[in-house]
Amino acid sequence: MEVVKAPDNIRVEKLTRLVQAHQQTLMNLCYMYLHDRELAKDAVQETYLKAYKAIDTFVGEDTERAWLIKIALNTCRDMKRSAWYKHVNRYITPEDIPDAVDERFQSDALELADAIMRLPDKYKEVILLHYFQDMPLSDIAPIAGITKSMVSRRVKKARALLHDLLGEE
């Protein structure tokens, strides 16, 4: 089956709408994943470039956020696998996270964010998507390329790891 491409002006309008609706979500996700603001910007730009190229194959308005998040996570994974990425210290402090939280919760939130950033990527992904993007486990499964039950196990394991890192609190 051949995909019929929409005219460029329609594709640009769709992309513009996607950028306006999901820019901050993708930026926060890529930043937490890559630990570098400039790399996160690059990943978001690359995500939108990939989305633009594949926009005619996208079906279903209710899953565009999940579709973009999947592209963004794959882009971040590719960036982390590159040889040059491994030779640079990308550790960020919790204070570097965009969109600071309410001051009453800041110290606890910073400690939690630091612990999340120390999780292995497969656990960090499910925590970020489930708790920070409010995604149900059934939506995370196709994004992560695993079953819903595996997502559930990873969330449970991530919570246990966070409990170990944070202590009894």
Side-chain angles (χ1 to χ4, degrees), residues 15-168:
L15 182 67
T16 301
R17 185 179 50 75
L18 290 174
V19 169
Q20 290 170 346
H22 305 289
Q23 178 79 16
Q24 193 60 48
T25 296
L26 294 180
M27 184 61 190
N28 290 343
L29 183 67
C30 291
Y31 184 69
M32 290 288 286
Y33 199 95
L34 296 169
H35 303 196
D36 184 288
R37 192 175 312 277
E38 295 307 312
L39 273 181
K41 287 178 185 178
D42 290 346
V44 171
Q45 294 238 343
E46 182 70 21
T47 297
Y48 284 121
L49 179 61
K50 290 176 180 178
Y52 179 77
K53 289 178 180 178
I55 208 157
D56 294 319
T57 62
F58 173 71
V59 180
E61 292 299 314
D62 59 334
T63 61
E64 71 182 16
R65 180 172 160 243
W67 180 65
L68 285 172
I69 287 173
K70 184 173 186 174
I71 295 170
L73 284 176
N74 285 334
T75 300
C76 289
R77 288 180 193 128
D78 290 345
M79 291 175 97
K80 284 187 84 168
R81 279 192 290 262
S82 69
W84 62 267
Y85 183 90
K86 295 174 183 168
H87 296 291
V88 179
N89 180 7
R90 299 265 177 229
Y91 183 77
I92 60 172
T93 62
E95 293 85 11
D96 295 332
I97 298 171
D99 300 323
V101 295
D102 186 324
E103 286 181 26
R104 293 174 296 162
F105 306 110
Q106 194 163 10
S107 65
D108 290 341
L110 292 176
E111 187 178 356
L112 176 61
D114 183 52
I116 291 169
M117 286 184 283
R118 288 188 277 149
L119 291 174
D121 289 342
K122 66 183 182 181
Y123 300 118
K124 184 185 339 180
E125 284 178 13
V126 295
I127 290 294
L128 291 174
L129 294 175
H130 186 58
Y131 291 106
F132 291 86
Q133 299 300 325
D134 295 323
M135 294 183 86
L137 302 181
S138 58
D139 288 352
I140 297 170
I143 292 171
I146 56 178
T147 64
K148 181 181 172 186
S149 61
M150 180 58 80
V151 172
S152 179
R153 285 193 292 270
R154 284 188 184 176
V155 168
K156 185 176 180 180
K157 175 70 174 174
R159 289 174 57 126
L161 290 169
L162 288 171
H163 185 269
D164 290 346
L165 288 170
L166 296 172
E168 291 295 321

